[in-house]
Amino acid sequence: MDTIMNKRQYAYKVIRTRIVDGTYSPGQRIVINQIAKEVGSSHIPVREAIHQLESEQLLEFRPNVGAIVKGIDNRLYQESLEVLALLEGYATSISATNITAHGLSKLKEINLEMQTMLENYELDKLGALNREFHFHIYSFCPNQLLIKNIEETWGRLDIVRQAGFTFYPKRTPQSIEEHAYLIKLMESNASSLQIEEYARNHKLKTLEAFKQRN
């Protein structure tokens, strides 16, 4: 059973990585035989991995075709940001009660690096740093199911190649300032509700920037 589970996880990782990094493009069919050969398994673990990716809305099943890579349109992108606003707001408030002084110091370092990248016009690095900032906060959240849901939603957004700061660079300076204020809230032991609301609005402002990007 453990062997089957490991092969399923391996197949899941292989397919998901290729979807997120663009190796598999929207509309491309997933060939089960090919994946099974690559991961050295039977069809069963691959099918289970595909079902999991379908539940995460990264794949969809089409009759007479099979599993194909699901694209992400503006509606799904906006809905995903709305969901993230709720999940990340709550996760940040929980994390704030557990974060250490070293954790806060690390957040300041990441945010400072973001500022440096902005000043040097190295915009391609900002998205990864922004993710590192938020997921460093979540590393102090004990609710692993909550974090898993956040990771899956981020994964859907990653499929959009222009996602993140490339869509709306004017949002970046404001986002960095909001990061700094969020750190201050956590340092000053602000209430969980205040931190949750601020973190939620931080994500919703990103949604508004996305809507107004053109």
Side-chain angles (χ1 to χ4, degrees), residues 4-23:
I4 293 176
M5 179 64 71
N6 289 336
K7 288 182 177 179
R8 179 191 65 77
Q9 291 172 338
Y10 183 35
Y12 167 84
K13 184 176 181 179
V14 168
I15 300 171
R16 189 180 190 281
T17 298
R18 292 175 182 175
I19 293 172
V20 172
D21 70 14
T23 301

Side-chain angles (χ1 to χ4, degrees), residues 70-80 157 160 210:
K70 185 176 182 180
I72 182 168
D73 55 21
N74 283 356
R75 179 190 60 78
L76 181 56
Y77 187 85
Q78 291 181 41
E79 289 178 354
S80 296
L157 298 182
V160 183
F210 171 77

Side-chain angles (χ1 to χ4, degrees), residues 20 32 47 66 89 104 111 116 129 154 161 180 183-184 198 213:
V20 172
I32 294 177
R47 291 184 186 279
L104 290 169
N111 209 38
T116 301
L129 285 171
W154 273 73
R161 298 271 56 91
I183 294 171
K184 288 183 179 179
Y198 192 83
R213 69 194 183 283

Side-chain angles (χ1 to χ4, degrees), residues 142-167:
N143 190 325
Q144 294 304 303
L145 180 59
L146 175 59
I147 303 308
K148 183 176 183 295
N149 277 276
I150 291 174
E151 289 174 343
E152 290 175 356
T153 307
W154 273 73
R156 286 199 296 274
L157 298 182
D158 285 343
I159 297 173
V160 183
R161 298 271 56 91
Q162 310 98 310
F165 293 96
T166 308
F167 260 143

Side-chain angles (χ1 to χ4, degrees), residues 18 24 29-39 43:
R18 292 175 182 175
Y24 291 161
R29 185 168 69 92
I30 302 301
V31 181
I32 294 177
N33 286 343
Q34 178 183 334
I35 299 297
K37 289 179 181 178
E38 288 188 48
V39 301
H43 290 180

Side-chain angles (χ1 to χ4, degrees), residues 38-191:
E38 288 188 48
V39 301
S41 75
S42 65
H43 290 180
I44 295 175
V46 178
R47 291 184 186 279
E48 291 176 346
I50 287 174
H51 288 323
Q52 182 175 351
L53 289 162
E54 286 176 355
S55 71
E56 295 175 14
Q57 299 186 55
L58 295 181
L59 295 177
E60 64 177 330
F61 181 82
R62 291 185 181 176
N64 303 319
V65 177
I68 66 167
V69 178
K70 185 176 182 180
I72 182 168
D73 55 21
N74 283 356
R75 179 190 60 78
L76 181 56
Y77 187 85
Q78 291 181 41
E79 289 178 354
S80 296
L81 284 175
E82 290 170 348
V83 170
L84 270 180
L86 294 172
L87 296 178
E88 293 190 353
Y90 186 53
T92 302
S93 70
I94 297 175
S95 300
T97 63
N98 298 296
I99 198 166
T100 62
H102 178 73
L104 290 169
S105 178
K106 178 64 175 178
L107 289 177
K108 292 178 182 178
E109 290 177 10
I110 298 170
N111 209 38
L112 180 60
E113 188 174 358
M114 288 185 70
Q115 182 65 42
T116 301
M117 294 301 101
L118 177 63
E119 292 171 355
N120 293 336
Y121 297 99
E122 297 182 61
L123 303 182
D124 57 315
K125 299 179 181 179
L126 285 168
L129 285 171
N130 180 63
R131 183 183 186 121
E132 182 182 357
F133 179 90
H134 288 286
F135 276 87
H136 184 66
I137 294 176
Y138 308 146
S139 68
F140 294 93
C141 178
N143 190 325
Q144 294 304 303
L145 180 59
L146 175 59
I147 303 308
K148 183 176 183 295
N149 277 276
I150 291 174
E151 289 174 343
E152 290 175 356
T153 307
W154 273 73
R156 286 199 296 274
L157 298 182
D158 285 343
I159 297 173
V160 183
R161 298 271 56 91
Q162 310 98 310
F165 293 96
T166 308
F167 260 143
Y168 23 84
K170 292 181 180 179
R171 162 76 180 137
T172 309
Q174 182 183 9
S175 183
I176 292 172
E177 291 178 4
E178 290 168 8
H179 285 174
Y181 188 73
L182 183 59
I183 294 171
K184 288 183 179 179
L185 287 177
M186 291 188 282
E187 280 183 319
S188 63
N189 295 316
S191 71

